[in-house]
PDB file of all heavy atoms in Angstrom:
ATOM      1  N   ASP A 649      -8.691 -39.876  71.114  1.00 90.00           N
ATOM      2  CA  ASP A 649      -8.587 -38.428  70.950  1.00 90.00           C
ATOM      3  C   ASP A 649      -9.137 -37.917  69.642  1.00 90.00           C
ATOM      4  O   ASP A 649      -9.151 -36.709  69.399  1.00 90.00           O
ATOM      5  CB  ASP A 649      -7.128 -37.981  71.086  1.00 90.00           C
ATOM      6  CG  ASP A 649      -6.566 -38.233  72.466  1.00 90.00           C
ATOM      7  OD1 ASP A 649      -7.318 -38.061  73.443  1.00 90.00           O
ATOM      8  OD2 ASP A 649      -5.375 -38.607  72.567  1.00 90.00           O
ATOM      9  N   LEU A 650      -9.553 -38.793  68.735  1.00 94.00           N
ATOM     10  CA  LEU A 650      -9.965 -38.343  67.423  1.00 94.00           C
ATOM     11  C   LEU A 650     -11.083 -39.222  66.866  1.00 94.00           C
ATOM     12  O   LEU A 650     -11.009 -40.459  66.959  1.00 94.00           O
ATOM     13  CB  LEU A 650      -8.777 -38.370  66.453  1.00 94.00           C
ATOM     14  CG  LEU A 650      -9.056 -37.822  65.027  1.00 94.00           C
ATOM     15  CD1 LEU A 650      -9.352 -36.325  65.083  1.00 94.00           C
ATOM     16  CD2 LEU A 650      -7.849 -38.083  64.136  1.00 94.00           C
ATOM     17  N   ALA A 651     -12.114 -38.575  66.313  1.00 95.00           N
ATOM     18  CA  ALA A 651     -13.231 -39.302  65.734  1.00 95.00           C
ATOM     19  C   ALA A 651     -13.709 -38.580  64.487  1.00 95.00           C
ATOM     20  O   ALA A 651     -13.514 -37.361  64.341  1.00 95.00           O
ATOM     21  CB  ALA A 651     -14.387 -39.426  66.735  1.00 95.00           C
ATOM     22  N   VAL A 652     -14.330 -39.331  63.585  1.00 96.00           N
ATOM     23  CA  VAL A 652     -14.960 -38.756  62.399  1.00 96.00           C
ATOM     24  C   VAL A 652     -16.454 -39.017  62.504  1.00 96.00           C
ATOM     25  O   VAL A 652     -16.892 -39.988  63.103  1.00 96.00           O
ATOM     26  CB  VAL A 652     -14.385 -39.343  61.098  1.00 96.00           C
ATOM     27  CG1 VAL A 652     -12.936 -38.952  60.915  1.00 96.00           C
ATOM     28  CG2 VAL A 652     -14.528 -40.860  61.065  1.00 96.00           C
ATOM     29  N   ARG A 653     -17.256 -38.147  61.891  1.00 96.00           N
ATOM     30  CA  ARG A 653     -18.710 -38.288  61.958  1.00 96.00           C
ATOM     31  C   ARG A 653     -19.346 -37.698  60.711  1.00 96.00           C
ATOM     32  O   ARG A 653     -18.716 -36.891  59.990  1.00 96.00           O
ATOM     33  CB  ARG A 653     -19.259 -37.580  63.201  1.00 96.00           C
ATOM     34  CG  ARG A 653     -19.034 -36.075  63.249  1.00 96.00           C
ATOM     35  CD  ARG A 653     -19.450 -35.502  64.585  1.00 96.00           C
ATOM     36  NE  ARG A 653     -19.255 -34.055  64.667  1.00 96.00           N
ATOM     37  CZ  ARG A 653     -19.427 -33.330  65.780  1.00 96.00           C
ATOM     38  NH1 ARG A 653     -19.791 -33.936  66.923  1.00 96.00           N
ATOM     39  NH2 ARG A 653     -19.242 -32.026  65.799  1.00 96.00           N
ATOM     40  N   GLY A 654     -20.544 -38.094  60.434  1.00 95.00           N
ATOM     41  CA  GLY A 654     -21.226 -37.590  59.262  1.00 95.00           C
ATOM     42  C   GLY A 654     -22.674 -38.011  59.206  1.00 95.00           C
ATOM     43  O   GLY A 654     -23.140 -38.861  59.987  1.00 95.00           O
ATOM     44  N   SER A 655     -23.409 -37.420  58.277  1.00 96.00           N
ATOM     45  CA  SER A 655     -24.835 -37.754  58.120  1.00 96.00           C
ATOM     46  C   SER A 655     -25.280 -37.436  56.710  1.00 96.00           C
ATOM     47  O   SER A 655     -24.669 -36.610  56.014  1.00 96.00           O
ATOM     48  CB  SER A 655     -25.696 -36.969  59.127  1.00 96.00           C
ATOM     49  OG  SER A 655     -25.750 -35.601  58.763  1.00 96.00           O
ATOM     50  N   VAL A 656     -26.334 -38.087  56.293  1.00 97.00           N
ATOM     51  CA  VAL A 656     -27.026 -37.767  55.049  1.00 97.00           C
ATOM     52  C   VAL A 656     -28.523 -37.863  55.348  1.00 97.00           C
ATOM     53  O   VAL A 656     -28.960 -38.786  56.045  1.00 97.00           O
ATOM     54  CB  VAL A 656     -26.605 -38.719  53.904  1.00 97.00           C
ATOM     55  CG1 VAL A 656     -26.871 -40.160  54.273  1.00 97.00           C
ATOM     56  CG2 VAL A 656     -27.357 -38.361  52.625  1.00 97.00           C
ATOM     57  N   SER A 657     -29.288 -36.902  54.866  1.00 96.00           N
ATOM     58  CA  SER A 657     -30.705 -36.913  55.214  1.00 96.00           C
ATOM     59  C   SER A 657     -31.516 -36.220  54.118  1.00 96.00           C
ATOM     60  O   SER A 657     -31.013 -35.388  53.358  1.00 96.00           O
ATOM     61  CB  SER A 657     -30.941 -36.191  56.556  1.00 96.00           C
ATOM     62  OG  SER A 657     -30.598 -34.830  56.453  1.00 96.00           O
ATOM     63  N   THR A 658     -32.766 -36.579  54.068  1.00 96.00           N
ATOM     64  CA  THR A 658     -33.741 -35.841  53.270  1.00 96.00           C
ATOM     65  C   THR A 658     -34.705 -35.145  54.234  1.00 96.00           C
ATOM     66  O   THR A 658     -34.882 -35.594  55.362  1.00 96.00           O
ATOM     67  CB  THR A 658     -34.522 -36.771  52.326  1.00 96.00           C
ATOM     68  OG1 THR A 658     -35.246 -37.733  53.129  1.00 96.00           O
ATOM     69  CG2 THR A 658     -33.595 -37.493  51.385  1.00 96.00           C
ATOM     70  N   GLY A 659     -35.305 -34.085  53.796  1.00 94.00           N
ATOM     71  CA  GLY A 659     -36.210 -33.363  54.669  1.00 94.00           C
ATOM     72  C   GLY A 659     -37.243 -32.593  53.862  1.00 94.00           C
ATOM     73  O   GLY A 659     -37.244 -32.598  52.636  1.00 94.00           O
ATOM     74  N   PHE A 660     -38.112 -31.908  54.580  1.00 91.00           N
ATOM     75  CA  PHE A 660     -39.110 -31.091  53.890  1.00 91.00           C
ATOM     76  C   PHE A 660     -39.621 -30.011  54.855  1.00 91.00           C
ATOM     77  O   PHE A 660     -39.397 -30.084  56.064  1.00 91.00           O
ATOM     78  CB  PHE A 660     -40.254 -31.964  53.388  1.00 91.00           C
ATOM     79  CG  PHE A 660     -41.392 -32.170  54.366  1.00 91.00           C
ATOM     80  CD1 PHE A 660     -42.629 -31.660  54.128  1.00 91.00           C
ATOM     81  CD2 PHE A 660     -41.171 -32.865  55.541  1.00 91.00           C
ATOM     82  CE1 PHE A 660     -43.683 -31.859  55.019  1.00 91.00           C
ATOM     83  CE2 PHE A 660     -42.187 -33.073  56.451  1.00 91.00           C
ATOM     84  CZ  PHE A 660     -43.468 -32.553  56.178  1.00 91.00           C
TER      85      PHE A 660
END
Side-chain angles (χ1 to χ4, degrees):
D649 296 323
L650 184 66
V652 293
R653 62 188 180 186
S655 71
V656 57
S657 65
T658 61
F660 89 114

